[in-house]
């Protein structure tokens, strides 16, 4: 069985990076927090992980301790100027975790690429090219790539979804969360029809869950009833230590490994890896 990687047919049993867009068009749902801490948790359990910061605010970069002075090559240079992912990737303090940082230059991408060829595929092309000097056919340097998307539908989001195998959706446990989810589903369907037919929803992660609030329980029940096993069992609680960690330039798992939020992200990482293993086995069968 073969699948296509770039212009080359590649045996399906060859290792391939799994690219997940962490996306929700509603702001404040924990996208960046999830990207940072899930990436850290994946690295902690032995997975090689790259985070791509696609948000002009650069919060994922800041949250992993990558200061402005260290962002000499950013995702802007990759999608606009054709620099390689390998040139842009910065090692973090977490072994096995790297990040392609972002800065305010990303705000101008929409205009600068308005007439460019393959404007919606710049990130996909760059990810498929990374690692080609490793003698293994490219696209093999990482087990997972997590793309931290901006909270809006623009060219950056379209690049992320065009590059992704699937979308991982953080969903805040509040009333308006379901409204934002409806918008995201429409976007995913649009991308499927026009840019990336293979795009799928990898899973939904319930975030900022407050067990003292009956609304959290109601949102959880509604989401699980509608999406079934697409919703992860691991639930991310509202947690002060998780909120504090970015101000110290650290993921929560480094800032306070034992806090409830850190432990929840470790459970999420293990569950994600187990799901992906089952998916690969189903394809192989």
């Amino acid at each position: 069985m073969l699948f296509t990687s770039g212009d080359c047919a590649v045996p399906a049993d060859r290792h391939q990076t799994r690219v997940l867009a962490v996306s929700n068009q509603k702001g404040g749902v924990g996208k960046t927090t999830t990207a940072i801490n899930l990436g850290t948790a994946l690295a902690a359990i032995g997975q090689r992980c790259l985070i791509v910061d696609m948000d002009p605010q650069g919060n994922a970069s800041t949250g992993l301790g990558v200061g402005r002075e260290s962002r000499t090559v950013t995702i802007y240079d990759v999608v606009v100027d054709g620099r390689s992912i390998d040139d842009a990737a910065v090692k973090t303090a977490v072994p096995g975790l790297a990040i392609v940082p972002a800065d305010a230059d990303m705000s101008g991408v929409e205009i600068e690429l308005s007439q460019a060829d393959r404007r919606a595929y710049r990130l996909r092309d760059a990810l498929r090219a990374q690692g080609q000097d490793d003698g293994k056919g490219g696209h093999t340097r990482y087990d997972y790539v997590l793309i931290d998307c901006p909270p809006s539908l623009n060219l950056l989001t379209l690049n992320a979804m065009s590059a992704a195998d699937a979308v991982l959706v953080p969903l805040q446990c509040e009333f308006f969360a379901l409204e934002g989810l409806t918008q995201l589903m429409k976007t995913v369907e649009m991308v499927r029809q026009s840019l990336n037919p293979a795009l799928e929803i990898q899973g939904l992660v319930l975030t900022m869950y407050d067990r003292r609030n009956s609304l959290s329980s109601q949102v959880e029940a509604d989401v699980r009833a509608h999406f079934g096993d697409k919703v992860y069992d691991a639930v991310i609680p509202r947690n002060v230590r998780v909120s504090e960690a970015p101000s110290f330039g650290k993921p929560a798992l480094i800032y306070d490994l034992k806090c409830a939020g850190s432990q929840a992200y470790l459970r999420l990482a293990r569950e994600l890896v187990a799901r992906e293993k089952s998916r690969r086995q189903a394809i192989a069968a």
Side-chain angles (χ1 to χ4, degrees), residues 246-267:
S247 64
F248 292 89
K250 296 178 180 179
L253 280 83
I254 301 299
Y255 182 64
D256 186 349
L257 175 61
K258 295 183 179 180
C259 75
S262 295
Q263 293 300 308
Y265 276 113
L266 281 169
R267 289 192 295 272

Side-chain angles (χ1 to χ4, degrees), residues 15 23 28 40 52 77 89 92 118 182 186 190 192 198 221 236 246 273:
H15 171 79
S23 182
T40 302
V52 177
D77 300 296
T92 72
R118 296 181 62 79
T182 300
K186 291 179 180 177
M190 181 195 73
R192 278 197 196 111
I236 311 302
V273 170

Side-chain angles (χ1 to χ4, degrees), residues 50 52 75 78 83-89 100 123 126-127 130 142:
L50 174 71
V52 177
I75 191 62
V78 173
R83 293 291 294 271
S84 73
I85 290 289
D86 294 330
D87 284 345
V100 176
L123 179 59
L127 285 172
Q130 67 86 20
Y142 304 100

